[in-house]
Amino acid sequence: WVSDAPMWHLWHMWAWVLAFCLAWCTAFDLEAHDAIGQTAASAMDQEAIRQIKRMMGGQDASDVAGWGHQVDDTYPDMARLHFQVHDDAPGFCGETRTAKCEDNICLLQSIKHFYGKVLSDEGRRMDFPEIDYSKVAKGIKFSDADFLKMLINLVGDLHQPLHVGYANDNSGRKILVKFRGETMSLYDVWDHAISEVVRTQESNFWLGGWTHVRAVSSEWEKDKAKWKEDGPFKSFDRWLSEAVDFTCSKAYVHPITGKKLAGPSAENGPVEIGEDAYQEWRQLWLRQILIAGERTAIVLNDILDNKGATRLATGSKVQTKADEERKKEEAEWEKERVQRQKERRSRTSSSFINPSAFITNLIIAVFTVPIFLLVANHGLNPQTYAGLIRSLLEEGPPGPAPKSGGKRFE
């Protein structure tokens, strides 16, 4: 295929891939979600894996883990579903925590909403928060497969510490730090900078199978037991509470000096995040990915192991900009495929015998065929051919044939 494709098409294809990567590949939103999806896949039951592949057209949890952010790119206000922003008024990182969640448009309520929607489509009855989608994306509609994709993405976001941060610092965006020679926000450090350093400087590790639930097996067993004991909504509440604790004690605090990076007692920035501090945060960041993955698996197993999962519809009702770009590319490929077929048919339908080529081949055959027959019959020994030549030279011209007698025997 590549040899037949025009070079401009290859450049066009790679340009699209590059554009996509510039938008997504450097962000936590894709790379970390993919790792979360891989961890989830390692902890999913076989029936759940079978059902998700059915619903996603052969894809698994890691393939669709970042889909929610493609939706955000198309419908920007949908991003509000991915954050649980807390009010500073009751006290920064205090015991009393109040989230800004008007009309249930926030992270925790979104998780409960999409979980409840998909369970109700399975035939299971439960109360869950309602969300008026028109307040974040006019005209958007979700299928059962879309509900699952949103859940996979949102449970992952619940474990990105600055997705459950505080309003006064805009979820860490107003906090500046120096990281690897660059000044950036604390949000960016946790969102994609740590991920990028691990992927680029530790590529063998990143691609080496670390995203397996066995790395957090004890936490997985505890979370499964608590899920059975408390049920889904209390588990979601607990996960949020743990996530905010992590944000306040780890993400908002310098890991070496222990000084606050946010809140009333925060030191003035930008604060230097050195190599030792990075190593501390790296370990915490990787663990958050694994915890998010095993919890995503618990949610998916609960939904897809149920006999009602066979009722869930396949396919997507949400068309994103990424979908539109893919369709354009596929249409371009199909157009070129048809053109190449026409060219092949044109060459095939032309004259089967080319006179010039026929004469050339005939001349070649006149010389090569006799040589081939000689070699086939007499081998390659030069003495054999010398003997043949001598016998031809020694033979005289043929004489008259003897007269035949009347008797055959005497």
Side-chain angles (χ1 to χ4, degrees), residues 283-299:
Q283 290 300 115
L284 295 172
W285 186 90
L286 293 172
R287 185 179 180 278
Q288 287 298 100
I289 296 295
L290 296 169
I291 296 296
E294 56 98 350
R295 289 175 173 175
T296 300
I298 290 173
V299 175

Side-chain angles (χ1 to χ4, degrees), residues 229-289:
E229 179 184 340
D230 298 336
F233 281 12
K234 285 187 177 180
S235 292
F236 295 147
D237 291 338
R238 178 171 58 85
W239 295 352
L240 172 64
S241 179
E242 290 176 2
V244 180
D245 287 342
F246 181 93
T247 301
C248 290
S249 63
K250 303 297 181 184
Y252 275 149
V253 177
H254 193 286
I256 302 302
T257 65
K259 293 182 178 179
K260 300 286 186 182
L261 300 174
S265 59
E267 61 177 311
N268 295 327
V271 176
E272 183 75 30
I273 305 298
E275 182 62 24
D276 50 356
Y278 159 72
Q279 291 297 333
E280 290 289 330
W281 275 356
R282 172 190 176 277
Q283 290 300 115
L284 295 172
W285 186 90
L286 293 172
R287 185 179 180 278
Q288 287 298 100
I289 296 295

Side-chain angles (χ1 to χ4, degrees), residues 99-166:
K100 298 175 181 291
C101 194
E102 186 178 355
D103 299 319
N104 291 328
I105 300 174
C106 63
L107 180 54
L108 179 63
Q109 298 300 84
S110 297
I111 291 173
K112 292 179 178 179
H113 168 79
F114 287 111
Y115 177 84
K117 288 288 286 184
V118 74
L119 256 65
S120 66
D121 286 353
E122 285 187 340
R124 293 193 260 178
R125 292 184 179 181
M126 68 179 306
D127 294 328
F128 58 90
E130 290 290 345
I131 295 178
D132 182 356
Y133 303 142
S134 66
K135 292 186 177 181
V136 287
K138 207 172 210 179
I140 195 169
K141 294 181 179 179
F142 294 95
S143 67
D144 291 329
D146 296 333
F147 292 148
L148 282 181
K149 287 187 283 188
M150 286 299 297
L151 269 174
I152 293 169
N153 194 259
L154 293 171
V155 172
D157 282 339
L158 185 62
H159 296 81
Q160 205 279 56
L162 275 307
H163 276 245
V164 296
Y166 278 76

Side-chain angles (χ1 to χ4, degrees), residues 54-74:
R54 176 185 68 84
M55 295 182 66
M56 305 299 171
Q59 295 182 308
D60 61 22
S62 65
D63 295 321
V64 300
W67 179 83
H69 293 287
Q70 294 179 14
V71 176
D72 296 348
D73 184 47
T74 308

Side-chain angles (χ1 to χ4, degrees), residues 109-406:
Q109 298 300 84
S110 297
I111 291 173
K112 292 179 178 179
H113 168 79
F114 287 111
Y115 177 84
K117 288 288 286 184
V118 74
L119 256 65
S120 66
D121 286 353
E122 285 187 340
R124 293 193 260 178
R125 292 184 179 181
M126 68 179 306
D127 294 328
F128 58 90
E130 290 290 345
I131 295 178
D132 182 356
Y133 303 142
S134 66
K135 292 186 177 181
V136 287
K138 207 172 210 179
I140 195 169
K141 294 181 179 179
F142 294 95
S143 67
D144 291 329
D146 296 333
F147 292 148
L148 282 181
K149 287 187 283 188
M150 286 299 297
L151 269 174
I152 293 169
N153 194 259
L154 293 171
V155 172
D157 282 339
L158 185 62
H159 296 81
Q160 205 279 56
L162 275 307
H163 276 245
V164 296
Y166 278 76
N168 195 49
D169 56 70
N170 193 15
S171 298
R173 293 183 181 90
K174 292 182 179 179
I175 302 170
L176 296 180
V177 297
K178 288 184 178 179
F179 181 73
R180 299 280 170 131
E182 294 184 32
T183 299
M184 63 180 68
S185 71
L186 185 64
Y187 176 87
D188 286 338
V189 171
W190 285 94
D191 197 60
H192 66 265
I194 295 174
S195 169
E196 189 173 354
V197 172
V198 176
R199 286 184 290 108
T200 56
Q201 298 188 9
E202 301 178 66
S203 57
N204 288 337
F205 166 78
W206 183 262
L207 301 173
W210 65 277
T211 51
H212 197 282
V213 72
R214 62 175 171 264
V216 286
S217 57
S218 60
E219 290 88 344
W220 183 42
E221 294 299 330
K222 290 177 185 176
D223 282 331
K224 285 193 295 182
K226 291 293 288 182
W227 180 275
K228 290 181 179 179
E229 179 184 340
D230 298 336
F233 281 12
K234 285 187 177 180
S235 292
F236 295 147
D237 291 338
R238 178 171 58 85
W239 295 352
L240 172 64
S241 179
E242 290 176 2
V244 180
D245 287 342
F246 181 93
T247 301
C248 290
S249 63
K250 303 297 181 184
Y252 275 149
V253 177
H254 193 286
I256 302 302
T257 65
K259 293 182 178 179
K260 300 286 186 182
L261 300 174
S265 59
E267 61 177 311
N268 295 327
V271 176
E272 183 75 30
I273 305 298
E275 182 62 24
D276 50 356
Y278 159 72
Q279 291 297 333
E280 290 289 330
W281 275 356
R282 172 190 176 277
Q283 290 300 115
L284 295 172
W285 186 90
L286 293 172
R287 185 179 180 278
Q288 287 298 100
I289 296 295
L290 296 169
I291 296 296
E294 56 98 350
R295 289 175 173 175
T296 300
I298 290 173
V299 175
L300 294 177
N301 286 338
D302 178 74
I303 295 170
L304 298 174
D305 281 348
N306 188 275
K307 61 181 180 181
T310 56
R311 301 181 186 179
L312 300 178
T314 62
S316 176
K317 291 183 179 179
V318 180
Q319 290 296 307
T320 67
K321 290 180 180 179
D323 294 327
E324 293 173 2
E325 287 297 323
R326 270 194 299 273
K327 286 182 179 178
K328 289 179 183 178
E329 286 296 314
E330 288 169 0
E332 193 76 37
W333 296 339
E334 177 63 17
K335 185 177 177 182
E336 292 187 5
R337 186 187 68 80
V338 171
Q339 181 61 32
R340 289 195 298 274
Q341 283 186 338
K342 287 181 179 178
E343 291 173 359
R344 282 195 289 269
R345 288 195 195 103
S346 177
R347 290 195 296 268
T348 304
S349 61
S350 60
S351 175
F352 283 98
I353 299 178
N354 186 321
S356 176
F358 175 76
I359 293 172
T360 301
N361 289 334
L362 181 62
I363 293 172
I364 293 171
V366 166
F367 289 97
T368 58
V369 170
I371 294 172
F372 171 76
L373 292 174
L374 281 172
V375 172
N377 286 293
H378 301 286
L380 296 173
N381 190 340
Q383 295 180 358
T384 302
Y385 293 100
L388 286 173
I389 294 170
R390 281 197 301 271
S391 66
L392 290 173
L393 294 175
E394 291 173 357
E395 289 183 0
K403 296 180 181 180
S404 59

